[in-house]
Amino acid sequence: MRRFLRPGHDPVRERLKRDLFQFNKTVEHGFPHQPSALGYSPFLRLMAIGTRSGAVKLYGAPGVEFMGLHEENNTVMQIHFIPDQCQLVTLLDDNSLHLWSLRQHSGASELREEHRFTLKGPPGSPPSATQVTAVLPHSSREVLYLGTESGNIFVVELPSFRVLEDRTITSEAVLQRVPEDYCNRRSCELVEALREHPKNPDQILIGYSRGLIVLWDLQNNKVTHHFLGSQQLENLYWQRDGSKFISCHYDGSYTQWPVSSENRQPEPLENLVPYGPFPCKAISKIYWQTTKNGLPYVIFQGGMPRASYGDRHSISVVHGSQQTAFDFTSRVIDFFVIFSSEPTAEFDDPSAMVVLAEEELVVIDLKTAGWPAVHPPYLASLHCSAITCSHHVSNIPLKLWERIISAGSKQNIHYSNMPWPIDGGTNIAPDPPQRDLLLTGHEDGTVRFWDASGVCLHLLYKLSTVRVFLTDADPNDNMNTLGEDEWPPLRKVGTFDPYSDDPRLGIQKIYLCKYSGYLAVAGTAGQVLVMELNDEDAEHVVDHAEADLLQDQEGYRWKGHEKLKTQDGSVRFEAGFQPFVLVQCQPPAVVTSLALHSEWKLVAFGTSHGFGLFDHQQKRLVFVKCTLHPSDQLALEGPLSRVKSLKKSLRQSFRRIRRSRVSSRKRQGGSRSASEVQEANAKFDQDALQEMELAPVQRKIEARSAEDSFTGFVRTLYFADTFLRDSSRHCPSLWAGTNGGTVYAFCLRVPPAERRMDEPVRAEQAKEIQLMHRAPVVGILVLDGRSIPLPEPLEVAHDLSKSPDMQGSHQLLVVSEEQFKVFTLPKVSSKLKLKLTALEGCRVRKVTVANFGSCKTDDYSENDLAVLTNLGDIQIISLPFLKLQIRYPCIRKEDVSGIASCVFTKYGQGFYLISPSEFERFSLSTKWLVEPRCIVDIPEVTSNNHVHKKSGMENAARKS
């Protein structure tokens, strides 16, 4: 009866749990999903990005990040910073305005929503009367000017959002000073643009969509100048001295207009169609930047010939005889130019152009010849090719780190050396305690190495496996090359390229040994590449080996994709990780598991057909094991053939239901006496345990049939030096777990170092464990005599871990989707189990061992299991007693791709994809926490034009 009792409440353990475990979602890495708006403050040197889901993200110097979320989750249409303030206004697609402020709290700045407001018209007025189309924060910092679809401009007081009705600029008042014949031909329609005069804050330029532009005097409430445009207006831009402005139009033209006190109705100085004479796309935004040498920079979005280049997303930069149309692979949301913002400066002197495209951020250096791109320290386009897998490595040795950075720097020679131009705010977060790598595998056959040590996920190095194979793409093909006479002068920029030359190139598994520098990657078509780090370019032949996992069994025919064809002869590789051997699985199915032991120089790989072991020092296949069940026909179809039909799925489901009904009838049809005995026993147990607290009722789990598809699918591989044959001698071993709940154990004989090249590695199957419910095995772990997980290969040799205890008896932990089970070794007798599915109703999706340190003392840490379930919960389970410590909701259970993408770190952190382009970082540990902590100092411009610095808190106190 003792097993029904719950353990008592232990206050000491509860306190310790509070010191060890704490769940926090800390930072979002990558590029915002579905960006919709862009803003920039030259005063604060901060950039703001809004998204379709209602998020607002602010970025400054590396490490300076803020995030806010509108409650409405509506699309952010526009973002405007209030001049000379730590405030910004957002306009959503529901026509609501929101005021945000950066305020200090606990020594760091935070982004907070202060007020919200929706412009309302008089009763009975149509919605278009107050639909906001243009927003102008005035330099007085006291009001907002809101242009609407009706042509009226409303004035709203800040920060209260009170409408100043007596200052409304109506379309009727504007048309009073416009010639009658023009008014008859064109109504004002909606307000397209509002721009404050750069030298006179009492004047604003108003642009209407039909082409009319007026200069409005705010003091006298009247039109001082009107400019009669003949084309549909898109945008306006003032020149720095206020003597001219530029208008851009729907027909792909832009016009320069003079502003003088003498002529109230001036004619345009210049009207130009840059890519005419054929019909062109609209120019939606334009900058005219003055320079010391007299030649202006003209920068505009769009304007391409419609017939030939109507599908291009371009921004053109013209400076004298230089002209380049930067061609982006995704739609341009918005852009801005960084230039001198000093009021006393005579010229703009632009330094950089920042472009927010739908899938990436691109920064162009306008100071350097050739206008190269600037390598961004954050907002990386993680999904430049779709992410197919992830692998995290903690605490990278300095030497390996420097070698990876060196290889990456040789790839970045075409980038500008310009310092990152968006450098507002100060990062006050402590330096990362260690160097961490996040490796992402991609659909195009590349592996990207990211610095995941701190808040900024920064690309260090990109590895491509394409050169080993024959594909349609030419690796020397340069998309950026331009012919001398090509027009328009298009140049591809950015890294986003969603198209893969061959889906078989996709990376499915990655394993990096941080001590030896060996890397193994495996792909969609059964390819396994073993690589080593080389600091120089090299040309060599990649050795090939084939692993026939079906072992010539009759009756099996692979219906999926073919294997990739390989390059003949020697291949030239860049400095970095270079493959030296390729193992090709046959059939060429997706590699589902991978393990590398760099000390023994062995790599193990598994597919849906079986698993194999390869000696990458002797370049020899050690053995293969077929795990395919006779009914596993789906395993022969491959992921790209899509042969599996709905009819077959339904048939299997009905069979399963029928089997469960038959088995339940058999159980009900037992002898009457047996059921009476069961009832008596149940009554006795109920009476005896009436006063006690019972354990939760377990759900009944239907046993899976061996005929279920994909039972041979190899889910996990694990190397261990443990007691497999008897308790007196330990030996190297390889463990494999399958989808059908089978665990295979192979005893390995690895020759000593002096005879390593002369004698072959030998393997012999020693154990085979079949779990009763045949649940998929997702994790295997061996605990030493002190119940501590065995160290990683070479970890002890580098003095980074204690030697494992080989005196006491070892234990084997097998984690299936439904339960955790501990066996003794070498007898493999069941010792302990935790039935997760029976108790909780959930299944294990990811499991790893994590080390949790106490936040109160450096002397205590413990190893526990971090478990992610199919419900999106994270559970921490103690070792070796398998006691649930704590549970946290982390991912929505509907977010299947997020759960599938989750990767844990060795020290209780984790990453999962919240969108194709963003990782959410979370922490389960009180000690290891990576989150933004930054401060924005507010320079305050005084009346005598001297600039002083005040902290956000002091400024807020002064306001109040």
Side-chain angles (χ1 to χ4, degrees):
M1 283 178 18
R2 188 173 296 176
R3 66 192 179 94
F4 289 99
L5 297 177
R6 275 190 177 164
H9 183 77
D10 183 357
V12 176
R13 181 61 190 171
E14 291 301 315
R15 277 198 302 273
L16 184 57
K17 279 159 62 172
R18 286 195 294 271
D19 294 344
L20 292 171
F21 312 124
Q22 183 181 355
F23 178 72
N24 289 288
K25 290 186 178 180
T26 55
V27 66
E28 292 175 3
H29 294 302
F31 185 77
H33 185 50
Q34 296 182 324
S36 55
L38 178 68
Y40 178 67
S41 169
F43 180 72
L44 300 172
R45 298 184 72 83
L46 293 178
M47 171 180 67
I49 295 175
T51 70
R52 287 192 209 169
S53 59
V56 180
K57 301 187 177 187
L58 269 62
Y59 300 92
V64 176
E65 294 185 15
F66 303 95
M67 179 177 168
L69 188 65
H70 295 89
E71 287 182 11
E72 295 81 1
N73 287 347
N74 288 69
T75 300
V76 180
M77 303 298 292
Q78 297 182 35
I79 301 176
H80 300 273
F81 281 88
I82 308 299
D84 302 342
Q85 291 289 303
C86 240
Q87 292 181 312
L88 63 148
V89 171
T90 56
L91 172 67
L92 305 190
D93 64 351
D94 64 355
N95 206 39
S96 63
L97 288 157
H98 302 255
L99 179 66
W100 298 81
S101 294
L102 280 170
R103 295 290 179 88
Q104 281 200 10
H105 177 71
S106 301
S109 298
E110 289 182 350
L111 183 64
R112 295 179 185 173
E113 186 177 357
E114 303 282 352
H115 298 284
R116 66 186 62 193
F117 163 76
T118 301
L119 187 63
K120 291 183 170 59
S125 61
S128 61
T130 54
Q131 184 68 44
V132 178
T133 56
V135 179
L136 172 65
H138 196 260
S139 60
S140 65
R141 308 189 289 277
E142 295 172 353
V143 291
L144 284 178
Y145 290 89
L146 306 177
T148 61
E149 278 189 7
S150 63
N152 296 330
I153 298 163
F154 296 89
V155 186
V156 175
E157 191 177 53
L158 287 175
S160 64
F161 279 133
R162 183 170 64 91
V163 179
L164 305 177
E165 296 182 2
D166 57 324
R167 294 173 63 176
T168 299
I169 304 169
T170 63
S171 55
E172 290 80 9
V174 169
L175 291 173
Q176 284 177 1
R177 299 292 298 271
V178 177
E180 282 188 22
D181 62 329
Y182 189 88
C183 294
N184 294 337
R185 283 187 290 115
R186 295 171 181 274
S187 63
C188 283
E189 282 210 344
L190 62 87
V191 178
E192 198 71 61
L194 293 170
R195 297 287 180 266
E196 183 180 334
H197 195 291
K199 298 296 183 184
N200 184 358
D202 291 332
Q203 292 183 333
I204 61 170
L205 199 62
I206 306 170
Y208 296 93
S209 61
R210 285 289 184 92
L212 173 65
I213 306 164
V214 299
L215 189 62
W216 181 267
D217 186 341
L218 298 173
Q219 288 291 335
N220 301 309
N221 286 330
K222 66 174 187 178
V223 171
T224 61
H225 296 70
H226 47 265
F227 309 87
L228 309 180
S230 58
Q231 291 293 335
Q232 182 175 322
L233 182 71
E234 291 289 319
N235 221 320
L236 298 170
Y237 187 79
W238 277 108
Q239 291 189 22
R240 191 179 188 93
D241 61 1
S243 63
K244 305 182 193 74
F245 70 88
I246 314 295
S247 62
C248 54
H249 303 274
Y250 181 76
D251 66 343
S253 67
Y254 66 84
T255 306
Q256 191 174 185
W257 302 85
V259 179
S260 63
S261 55
E262 293 81 19
N263 190 355
R264 301 294 178 180
Q265 186 182 324
E267 292 296 318
L269 291 174
E270 180 187 32
N271 184 32
L272 189 65
V273 184
Y275 296 111
F278 301 107
C280 294
K281 291 176 69 178
I283 294 179
S284 55
K285 189 172 184 178
I286 192 165
Y287 279 81
W288 183 288
Q289 302 277 280
T290 57
T291 60
K292 291 188 180 78
N293 66 8
L295 292 172
Y297 277 85
V298 183
I299 303 169
F300 55 89
Q301 177 184 346
M304 284 281 146
R306 283 187 183 276
S308 305
Y309 301 95
D311 59 341
R312 299 298 181 99
H313 315 288
S314 69
I315 294 179
S316 299
V317 180
V318 183
H319 179 59
S321 60
Q322 299 177 66
Q323 181 164 345
T324 299
F326 293 101
D327 188 12
F328 299 87
T329 53
S330 58
R331 185 171 62 92
V332 174
I333 304 297
D334 201 354
F335 78 100
F336 62 84
V337 176
I338 298 176
F339 55 91
S340 173
S341 58
E342 290 293 327
T344 55
E346 189 177 349
F347 302 102
D348 293 310
D349 283 328
S351 58
M353 176 176 71
V354 180
V355 183
L356 177 67
E358 201 164 35
E359 305 292 353
E360 63 186 325
L361 184 83
V362 178
V363 178
I364 304 296
D365 177 2
L366 298 176
K367 287 286 189 186
T368 305
W371 299 330
V374 182
H375 195 54
Y378 48 70
L379 286 174
S381 182
L382 298 175
H383 64 316
C384 44
S385 172
I387 294 176
T388 48
C389 64
S390 304
H391 176 66
H392 187 275
V393 189
S394 299
N395 208 5
I396 302 291
L398 180 60
K399 187 176 180 182
L400 176 64
W401 187 262
E402 290 174 341
R403 292 178 71 190
I404 291 172
I405 289 175
S406 173
S409 64
K410 292 174 184 176
Q411 296 177 333
N412 295 334
I413 52 173
H414 59 282
Y415 279 106
S416 166
N417 294 321
M418 169 190 239
W420 184 244
I422 305 164
D423 55 3
T426 307
N427 179 16
I428 58 173
D431 291 334
Q434 60 186 30
R435 294 170 293 274
D436 288 355
L437 273 179
L438 179 66
L439 283 70
T440 53
H442 297 264
E443 193 180 45
D444 62 356
T446 59
V447 179
R448 285 170 168 81
F449 290 63
W450 305 93
D451 177 1
S453 314
V455 171
C456 296
L457 195 69
H458 180 62
L459 182 64
L460 298 178
Y461 165 68
K462 184 180 88 168
L463 161 71
S464 177
T465 62
V466 178
R467 287 182 179 273
V468 180
F469 306 102
L470 286 169
T471 62
D472 296 333
D474 181 5
N476 300 313
D477 183 28
N478 186 0
M479 296 168 66
N480 292 335
T481 53
L482 276 177
E484 288 183 12
D485 301 324
E486 187 173 334
W487 188 262
L490 287 164
R491 187 175 113 200
K492 286 270 186 191
V493 284
T495 58
F496 179 72
D497 183 11
Y499 306 107
S500 173
D501 298 315
D502 192 329
R504 296 175 296 171
L505 290 167
I507 305 297
Q508 296 296 331
K509 295 291 173 184
I510 307 169
Y511 197 105
L512 171 67
C513 174
K514 62 186 178 184
Y515 304 112
S516 64
Y518 281 115
L519 172 70
V521 297
T524 304
Q527 69 271 31
V528 180
L529 286 163
V530 187
M531 314 185 187
E532 58 185 341
L533 194 53
N534 190 345
D535 298 327
E536 302 297 332
D537 293 4
E539 188 170 339
H540 60 257
V541 176
V542 178
D543 290 290
H544 296 160
E546 283 213 352
D548 181 11
L549 296 172
L550 292 181
Q551 297 173 305
D552 301 322
Q553 294 194 32
E554 294 182 3
Y556 292 104
R557 189 169 61 86
W558 172 245
K559 303 172 188 173
H561 50 262
E562 295 180 357
K563 68 175 184 178
L564 284 160
K565 293 178 181 176
T566 54
Q567 297 275 9
D568 295 327
S570 60
V571 182
R572 183 159 189 82
F573 297 102
E574 298 175 340
F577 286 94
Q578 299 173 351
F580 61 89
V581 67
L582 164 67
V583 184
Q584 178 62 56
C585 298
Q586 288 289 11
V590 173
V591 177
T592 57
S593 54
L594 184 69
L596 176 73
H597 200 294
S598 47
E599 191 172 357
W600 302 337
K601 304 290 192 297
L602 299 174
V603 61
F605 47 88
T607 71
S608 52
H609 307 118
F611 61 96
L613 181 66
F614 186 80
D615 177 354
H616 65 76
Q617 185 166 359
Q618 290 189 12
K619 296 173 184 172
R620 173 184 163 274
L621 190 67
V622 179
F623 78 90
V624 291
K625 169 75 176 175
C626 180
T627 57
L628 205 61
H629 190 273
S631 66
D632 274 355
Q633 288 304 312
L634 285 180
L636 292 166
E637 291 174 357
L640 302 179
S641 63
R642 303 283 182 260
V643 180
K644 182 180 179 183
S645 65
L646 178 64
K647 193 187 294 182
K648 192 166 187 177
S649 300
L650 288 170
R651 192 160 57 238
Q652 288 173 343
S653 301
F654 282 122
R655 279 177 185 166
R656 214 172 278 132
I657 293 168
R658 197 158 53 238
R659 279 199 300 269
S660 66
R661 283 178 179 168
V662 169
S663 61
S664 64
R665 282 197 207 104
K666 284 179 181 176
R667 284 194 294 273
Q668 289 169 6
S671 64
R672 195 187 256 313
S673 59
S675 66
E676 286 172 359
V677 170
Q678 285 179 353
E679 284 176 18
N681 287 340
K683 190 173 187 307
F684 173 78
D685 287 345
Q686 189 177 1
D687 294 337
L689 299 173
Q690 199 168 14
E691 303 298 322
M692 301 179 185
E693 187 179 2
L694 294 178
V697 176
Q698 295 186 6
R699 291 171 174 80
K700 189 173 69 175
I701 305 299
E702 287 291 342
R704 301 179 191 219
S705 166
E707 296 175 5
D708 284 353
S709 295
F710 284 118
T711 55
F713 185 118
V714 179
R715 292 285 290 267
T716 184
L717 291 162
Y718 177 70
F719 285 108
D721 187 357
T722 188
F723 300 94
L724 195 55
R725 292 196 179 279
D726 56 59
S727 56
S728 59
R729 287 179 300 169
H730 57 88
C731 66
S733 62
L734 172 65
W735 301 76
T738 72
N739 224 37
T742 308
V743 177
Y744 299 96
F746 279 76
C747 185
L748 308 178
R749 185 188 168 279
V750 181
E754 61 272 11
R755 299 196 303 276
R756 183 66 179 80
M757 287 300 292
D758 303 325
E759 299 179 14
V761 175
R762 300 192 183 279
E764 184 181 351
Q765 185 169 339
K767 307 283 183 190
E768 182 174 333
I769 308 166
Q770 179 61 60
L771 300 180
M772 263 180 66
H773 291 302
R774 302 181 183 273
V777 177
V778 295
I780 297 173
L781 185 68
V782 172
L783 307 175
D784 70 5
R786 296 190 298 266
S787 299
I788 297 172
L790 295 182
E792 294 179 21
L794 297 175
E795 194 173 8
V796 175
H798 284 75
D799 297 326
L800 294 170
S801 174
K802 291 180 181 178
S803 297
D805 184 349
M806 293 298 189
Q807 304 304 316
S809 60
H810 285 196
Q811 300 172 80
L812 171 70
L813 171 64
V814 177
V815 181
S816 75
E817 282 190 358
E818 296 177 5
Q819 66 182 17
F820 300 78
K821 199 162 187 179
V822 176
F823 299 89
T824 59
L825 287 176
K827 289 186 177 180
V828 193
S829 56
S830 178
K831 181 180 178 183
L832 187 66
K833 73 168 104 173
L834 171 64
K835 295 182 178 179
L836 191 74
T837 306
L839 295 172
E840 308 283 345
C842 57
R843 296 182 182 277
V844 176
R845 286 289 176 258
K846 304 275 180 176
V847 62
T848 195
V849 177
N851 183 269
F852 293 92
S854 171
C855 62
K856 296 288 178 64
T857 174
D858 293 334
D859 299 334
Y860 183 81
S861 67
E862 65 180 45
N863 291 307
D864 296 289
L865 290 176
V867 179
L868 176 69
T869 72
N870 64 325
L871 302 180
D873 293 338
I874 291 177
Q875 303 189 10
I876 298 174
I877 296 171
S878 67
L879 285 174
F881 300 113
L882 303 183
K883 300 292 183 186
L884 177 62
Q885 300 300 296
I886 203 155
R887 181 192 293 109
Y888 301 112
C890 180
I891 310 173
R892 290 182 302 107
K893 64 180 179 182
E894 298 83 11
D895 187 3
V896 178
S897 60
I899 292 171
S901 67
C902 183
V903 57
F904 288 109
T905 78
K906 195 177 176 182
Y907 295 98
Q909 295 185 68
F911 302 82
Y912 69 93
L913 288 171
I914 52 174
S915 74
S917 59
E918 289 173 291
F919 274 113
E920 175 83 72
R921 187 180 192 132
F922 62 87
S923 175
L924 307 169
S925 170
T926 56
K927 190 173 182 180
W928 300 91
L929 197 67
V930 174
E931 61 181 348
R933 186 167 172 79
C934 41
I935 190 167
V936 176
D937 286 324
I938 305 171
E940 185 171 304
V941 182
T942 58
S943 56
N944 57 2
N945 284 335
H946 291 291
V947 177
H948 303 283
K949 278 205 171 183
K950 286 199 173 188
S951 72
M953 190 170 285
E954 290 170 337
N955 194 57
R958 179 185 59 78
K959 277 187 184 176
S960 61

